[in-house]
């Protein structure tokens, strides 16, 4: 498993060096996940949204994901490292939730 993780990191580093903006997989994949969530919300509420309405909602979700990853990367002095920003933002969200529930004392 370690060799695989090392090779993936190396591949990501090569890719990052060749593109202007590297979008982490979890952010890129979020579009499909968000679309499924919108579909489930629409179905459970027995609503009908036009394709344009779904697209507008999806754009809002994806813009929020980008803004969160970007601003978190900036906070940690890692400008445009969206992979780091997405990972750190996810970690911080879970950390704050655990702290709010009293599971963490620090």
């Amino acid at each position: 498993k370690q060799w695989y993780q090392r090779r993936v990191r190396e591949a990501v580093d090569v890719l990052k060096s060749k593109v202007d903006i590297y979008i982490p997989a979890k952010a890129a994949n979020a579009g499909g996940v968000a679309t499924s969530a919108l579909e489930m919300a629409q179905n459970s509420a027995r609503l009908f949204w036009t394709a344009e309405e779904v697209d507008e909602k999806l754009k809002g979700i994806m813009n929020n994901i980008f803004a969160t990853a970007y601003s978190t990367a900036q906070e940690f002095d890692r400008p445009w490292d969206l992979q780091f920003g997405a990972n750190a933002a996810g970690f911080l969200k879970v950390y704050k939730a655990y702290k709010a529930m009293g599971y963490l004392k620090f």
Side-chain angles (χ1 to χ4, degrees), residues 33-99:
V33 174
T35 301
S36 293
L38 289 171
E39 181 181 21
M40 286 190 298
Q42 180 180 225
N43 290 340
S44 69
R46 298 192 189 323
L47 299 172
F48 176 78
W49 295 328
T50 65
E52 292 78 19
E53 288 173 303
V54 172
D55 193 46
E56 195 58 36
K57 291 174 190 302
L58 182 58
K59 282 180 186 176
I61 291 167
M62 297 307 291
N63 283 335
N64 184 49
I65 290 169
F66 172 83
T68 301
Y70 178 77
S71 65
T72 303
Q74 298 289 55
E75 283 178 43
F76 287 89
D77 238 5
R78 308 262 305 252
W80 291 107
D81 189 344
L82 299 179
Q83 182 178 26
F84 174 84
N87 288 336
F91 173 83
L92 289 170
K93 189 172 188 173
V94 171
Y95 167 77
K96 289 174 184 175
Y98 267 61
K99 192 168 183 180

Side-chain angles (χ1 to χ4, degrees), residues 9-49:
R9 267 194 309 274
E10 290 169 0
V12 167
D13 289 342
V14 168
L15 185 59
K16 282 181 174 180
S17 73
K18 304 229 181 260
V19 296
D20 291 330
I21 298 176
Y22 173 79
I23 305 298
K26 65 177 58 68
N29 188 46
V33 174
T35 301
S36 293
L38 289 171
E39 181 181 21
M40 286 190 298
Q42 180 180 225
N43 290 340
S44 69
R46 298 192 189 323
L47 299 172
F48 176 78
W49 295 328

